[in-house]
Amino acid sequence: MSGMEMLQKVTRAFDHGIRYRLILTDFNMVEMDGIEATYKLRSFFETKKIRREDQPIIIGITGNVAEQFSIMGKAAGMNLIISKPIYFKDLEALLEKYGLVCWQPLL
């Protein structure tokens, strides 16, 4: 998915009453990168008067570990930047950190 497609899907969903709690975005996407898409998403939510704590958590994913990428992502509005490769156990820990995992016992 391109950054433009992600932006359109999230804003369209919002306009239809669907509220995402988490968005994972890659720094390198076609048409629009994750940094620009994050900035535009944050701007969209601000125009809708949605408080930052009520907006989706945005996690940027990058293969570049240079500190400048982390700075740019945070400035755009990303809550967290993680580097590739991503392992399931690390993703699971992130979801738990943000309260987005609800485990139910098997019956």
Side-chain angles (χ1 to χ4, degrees), residues 27-44:
F27 273 57
N28 294 314
M29 295 187 289
V30 296
E31 286 187 78
M32 180 186 300
D33 63 32
I35 292 171
E36 184 178 357
T38 297
Y39 177 78
K40 289 187 177 200
L41 275 175
R42 293 298 186 207
S43 296
F44 169 80

Side-chain angles (χ1 to χ4, degrees), residues 27-100:
F27 273 57
N28 294 314
M29 295 187 289
V30 296
E31 286 187 78
M32 180 186 300
D33 63 32
I35 292 171
E36 184 178 357
T38 297
Y39 177 78
K40 289 187 177 200
L41 275 175
R42 293 298 186 207
S43 296
F44 169 80
F45 289 121
E46 287 172 11
T47 63
K48 298 288 186 178
K49 306 286 189 240
I50 305 300
R51 298 177 310 159
R52 185 65 172 261
E53 58 269 15
D54 295 328
Q55 295 178 20
I57 297 161
I58 301 177
I59 299 177
I61 303 167
T62 181
N64 192 324
V65 294
E67 186 178 350
Q68 71 185 33
F69 281 88
S70 181
I71 292 168
M72 292 180 340
K74 293 280 187 176
M78 292 178 182
N79 297 82
L80 183 68
I81 292 90
I82 59 176
S83 61
K84 296 174 189 176
I86 302 169
Y87 299 100
F88 178 77
K89 65 180 179 64
D90 297 330
L91 183 57
E92 183 179 42
L94 280 174
L95 295 175
E96 287 177 358
K97 174 184 175 181
Y98 288 106
L100 298 173

